[in-house]
Amino acid sequence: MEQQPPQPNDSAQEKTLGFPPTPEAGGKVPPRPARRPPHEEEAPTEVLNERGQATAAALGRVVGSRASSSGGRDDIPWVLVMPDHLFEVLSLMKEHPETKMDMLHLLFAVDYLDHLQLIYILASLSLNQKAMVKVDLPVAGDDAQATVDSAVALWEAAGWYERETHDLFGVRFEGNPDMSPLLLYEGFEGFPGRKSFPFNEYTEY
Amino acid sequence: MATEYDTGQTPETVDMMLNMGPQHPATHGVFRMVLAVDGERVVDLVPHIGYLHRGSEKLMENETYAQVITLFDRLDYVSNFNNELAFVRAVEKLMDLEPPERAMYIRVILCELNRVASHLLFAGTYALDIGAMTPVMYTFRERERIQNLFESVSGARMMHNYIRIGGIKEELPDDFVHRTRKLIDELRRGVEETDKLLTFNEVFLARTRGVGMIDAATAISCGLTGPGLRASGSTYDVRKDDPYEIYDRLDYDVPIGEYGDSWDRYWLRIQECYQSLRMIDQCLDQLEPGPIMPQMRRIARPPKGEAYAHCENPRGDIGVFVVSDGTNKPYRVKVRPPSFCNLVALRQMVQGSYIADAVVVLGSLDIVLGEVDR
């Protein structure tokens, strides 16, 4: 069968696509349609279950007035503490017989643009419970670092988590004996975990 | 006379620094460790990671929720289903979504099969590390059977992208149950074969018994989870302690080690294979027809909030923390990679042992560098 020669493009179709810009559109790319606004309501199940409530009660007794706010979801309650109280709260949670957090499950940072939030997820294998400790750290600028106390004296696992957080978010941990880069190389500039770090524009070489 | 030659100085020994990796066949990827050795003894060990750092967590912030699942396939690239499940469960918690029964059963079947595949890979390569060339042929043959089944299910041998937020991608092929039952019998024989070939082998025992011992308290402090921790006598298993999906409906045992040495870590994984096969058998019995995806929007847009979910990966406890700002892309995703935490314990295990045992201990931790460096 003989092939049909390609038909010239319909100009109307080109217009709807909007690219490349036509003279009618004034040589400009039409603006993109507006994005749907994000959900405004809070998550429906930001509540603790039975196990979580028991942990939260124990947590409240141990941390006491050092917590500036608290909450939780499912089985993991959290407390927000001031950076000055962080080490005290962590060691209390490790030692106190009601919490007995013998494992540092996870430590990481979240960049909320105006401040960094450090989140410690602690686990107690003997009591089978989990809890979070959050700290808000204000940072002055894109290159500014924040400083908190290291938890390496409490849990061995803190060492690498802290080095990683220092690499990616620029949080200094006072008391960690080794703060050399873990995931990045020596001499890397900037904190690639932060929202301000250029994602697409960054070229390494 | 001895005093004539006395220089008034005592002989001094200096530790030799020995570099191992990043290109080394026994490090299972680009992992480097610097050993300080005194003769044949390892005095200290400094692990160096980050050669495979791809910035996965940053990448995830710029992809939609459905696209992030593909990135999880590439973290721990020998237990892909388990990784996908961890992320999907975190998003489901965020959206307050319960997957249909059938989807949960299929997820568990695939995850447990993946666990067997991962442990078989471990047994083969571990034997290879120690110097036994044969077992790897047997274990890879068995693993290949599982990969073939995965290919018929998801269309890919490794990067499946099969588990979806709310359910799974598509229905299983018609002959899946029949094929899996046959496969379980074959695998049971295959695992037994490896077990007989390796477990109580005299040379294998001599290389692994009492090597890289770690007690439970130190292991917990280091964040060690999974078979590495259970070998030390702890019973921590997410499937038992914090049951997810349908694990609470299954009847299985969690094998526990006694001494926390390399042999225990190996033996535990072989025992886990038997338990996983038992679980799959029960899942196939309980599997009933039904929907595999709930009624939901095609594009997941979880409400504002944060959620943490964790699962039992073949390597340990994988956790995923998701922060949502209400858009179709996650604001922040943080992974707790089990291999990363297991590596922290390496230093404790290797100190004081022979140089040749460093490889044995590293192999027994069964790390995957894609997950360590992210």
Side-chain angles (χ1 to χ4, degrees):
Chain A
M1 222 177 100
E2 213 173 286
Q3 261 194 327
Q4 292 282 321
Q7 297 291 318
N9 273 347
D10 192 5
S11 61
Q13 197 197 346
E14 235 172 80
K15 225 183 276 174
T16 55
L17 283 174
F19 196 89
T22 52
E24 293 94 272
K28 280 180 189 163
V29 182
R32 287 175 145 214
R35 289 192 174 178
R36 262 176 60 200
H39 287 286
E40 280 308 320
E41 77 272 25
E42 284 288 307
T45 55
E46 195 124 332
V47 283
L48 289 162
N49 59 20
E50 216 169 282
R51 209 170 110 205
Q53 276 167 5
T55 317
L59 195 61
R61 283 194 292 277
V62 173
V63 179
S65 60
R66 294 176 198 89
S68 39
S69 64
S70 60
R73 173 195 278 267
D74 296 331
D75 59 334
I76 311 180
W78 57 262
V79 284
L80 183 74
V81 299
M82 296 301 287
D84 301 339
H85 292 151
L86 177 68
F87 189 80
E88 190 189 349
V89 167
L90 290 177
S91 45
L92 262 178
M93 285 176 75
K94 192 197 171 193
E95 308 296 346
H96 202 280
E98 272 195 88
T99 42
K100 263 196 212 163
M101 298 296 177
D102 42 15
M103 182 189 269
L104 176 63
H105 202 66
L106 187 58
L107 157 57
F108 62 101
V110 185
D111 184 4
Y112 285 114
L113 301 178
D114 56 340
H115 67 279
L116 291 174
Q117 188 171 64
L118 273 187
I119 303 183
Y120 293 72
I121 302 183
L122 308 176
S124 166
L125 301 198
S126 48
L127 300 176
N128 192 15
Q129 59 189 17
K130 275 196 176 63
M132 278 191 234
V133 177
K134 297 182 178 181
V135 197
D136 281 344
L137 300 174
V139 277
D142 292 350
D143 299 322
Q145 300 197 9
T147 310
V148 283
D149 288 329
S150 165
V152 88
L154 301 173
W155 300 281
E156 199 100 7
W160 274 25
Y161 284 139
E162 286 175 358
R163 279 172 71 185
E164 186 194 346
T165 313
H166 177 241
D167 268 14
L168 304 180
F169 287 89
V171 179
R172 285 203 68 81
F173 290 89
E174 206 104 332
N176 189 330
D178 179 16
M179 281 309 260
S180 57
L182 184 70
L183 294 177
L184 305 176
Y185 49 84
E186 234 20 279
F188 189 94
E189 282 180 14
F191 304 115
R194 290 192 186 172
K195 291 281 178 187
S196 57
F197 191 84
F199 180 70
N200 288 318
E201 297 78 20
Y202 182 76
T203 47
E204 203 157 344
Y205 297 107
Chain B
M1 268 162 60
T3 45
E4 216 168 296
Y5 302 100
D6 194 358
T7 54
Q9 288 173 329
T10 48
E12 204 177 302
T13 56
V14 181
D15 291 343
M16 192 173 84
M17 304 305 282
L18 186 69
N19 180 61
M20 192 177 148
Q23 308 293 337
H24 191 283
T27 55
H28 300 271
V30 276
F31 173 68
R32 173 173 164 234
M33 46 188 183
V34 179
L35 306 164
V37 291
D38 178 13
E40 274 291 305
R41 291 274 175 195
V42 179
V43 180
D44 199 8
L45 175 146
V46 183
H48 291 272
I49 62 169
Y51 294 95
L52 203 61
H53 179 62
R54 299 154 292 181
S56 292
E57 282 165 7
K58 182 83 176 177
L59 270 173
M60 287 166 192
E61 292 171 11
N62 293 278
E63 307 280 352
T64 61
Y65 282 93
Q67 288 169 328
V68 170
I69 299 172
T70 62
L71 290 171
F72 269 84
D73 276 331
R74 284 150 181 83
L75 287 183
D76 179 353
Y77 40 75
V78 291
S79 60
N80 320 66
F81 281 123
N82 291 279
N83 279 18
E84 288 174 21
L85 184 64
F87 171 70
V88 164
R89 268 182 39 75
V91 181
E92 279 169 2
K93 264 192 183 178
L94 209 52
M95 296 175 76
D96 199 15
L97 208 66
E98 177 88 357
E101 290 261 304
R102 186 177 167 82
M104 290 203 278
Y105 274 105
I106 293 171
R107 284 175 181 189
V108 169
I109 292 172
L110 294 173
C111 282
E112 290 306 319
L113 272 174
N114 214 330
R115 192 184 308 278
V116 178
S118 169
H119 285 345
L120 282 171
L121 179 93
F122 159 76
T125 52
Y126 190 42
L128 205 59
D129 282 348
I130 286 170
M133 302 290 284
T134 320
V136 73
M137 312 287 172
Y138 288 89
T139 57
F140 264 71
R141 183 191 64 198
E142 300 306 324
R143 180 171 176 267
E144 204 56 36
R145 294 189 214 270
I146 304 177
Q147 303 286 26
N148 284 342
L149 185 78
F150 286 167
E151 191 175 5
S152 78
V153 171
S154 69
R157 277 165 40 82
M158 285 175 83
M159 306 300 159
H160 308 295
N161 189 16
Y162 183 73
I163 297 178
R164 290 281 189 274
I165 295 156
I168 49 172
K169 185 174 101 190
E170 57 192 10
E171 191 46 73
L172 295 170
D174 294 337
D175 59 346
F176 179 80
V177 175
H178 174 71
R179 271 184 75 176
T180 313
R181 285 218 192 274
K182 226 176 95 190
L183 181 71
I184 291 174
D185 289 338
E186 286 169 353
L187 283 177
R188 207 163 267 145
R189 276 201 298 277
V191 176
E192 249 166 47
E193 210 169 42
T194 314
D195 201 355
K196 278 180 193 161
L197 200 62
L198 207 54
T199 308
F200 292 102
N201 181 304
E202 195 68 41
V203 182
F204 185 73
L205 276 172
R207 285 300 304 276
T208 54
R209 253 294 176 220
V211 170
M213 298 240 271
I214 190 163
D215 60 295
T218 318
I220 290 170
S221 170
C222 289
L224 195 69
T225 47
L229 177 60
R230 289 194 288 275
S232 304
S234 170
T235 54
Y236 180 68
D237 185 322
V238 185
R239 293 171 293 179
K240 283 277 190 204
D241 289 346
D242 191 7
Y244 52 97
E245 303 292 296
I246 46 107
Y247 278 109
D248 47 350
R249 300 181 205 171
L250 304 177
D251 175 32
Y252 61 97
D253 305 319
V254 177
I256 307 291
E258 211 176 322
Y259 304 105
D261 58 4
S262 298
W263 188 85
D264 271 353
R265 286 191 280 276
Y266 155 82
W267 174 84
L268 219 107
R269 289 190 171 94
I270 294 288
Q271 296 306 311
E272 275 193 4
C273 285
Y274 291 124
Q275 297 300 330
S276 291
L277 293 175
R278 234 176 102 190
M279 276 186 239
I280 300 163
D281 230 352
Q282 294 169 36
C283 284
L284 288 175
D285 289 339
Q286 297 173 18
L287 187 65
E288 273 169 19
I292 52 166
M293 278 290 276
Q295 287 286 327
M296 58 178 287
R297 281 179 184 277
R298 252 167 195 275
I299 295 169
R301 285 164 66 88
K304 266 185 191 175
E306 49 191 43
Y308 180 73
H310 62 147
C311 297
E312 186 72 20
N313 188 301
R315 264 147 214 87
D317 183 348
I318 180 171
V320 179
F321 192 92
V322 182
V323 182
S324 161
D325 59 350
T327 58
N328 60 353
K329 291 173 184 172
Y331 186 75
R332 171 93 164 98
V333 182
K334 172 69 194 174
V335 191
R336 180 200 191 272
S339 299
F340 179 87
C341 308
N342 292 357
L343 257 186
V344 177
L346 180 70
R347 190 174 178 182
Q348 305 270 353
M349 291 175 179
V350 173
Q351 269 174 356
S353 65
Y354 289 117
I355 299 172
D357 291 342
V359 170
V360 176
V361 176
L362 180 66
S364 77
L365 281 174
D366 190 20
I367 53 163
V368 169
L369 265 299
E371 183 179 64
V372 175
D373 296 341
R374 277 153 294 143

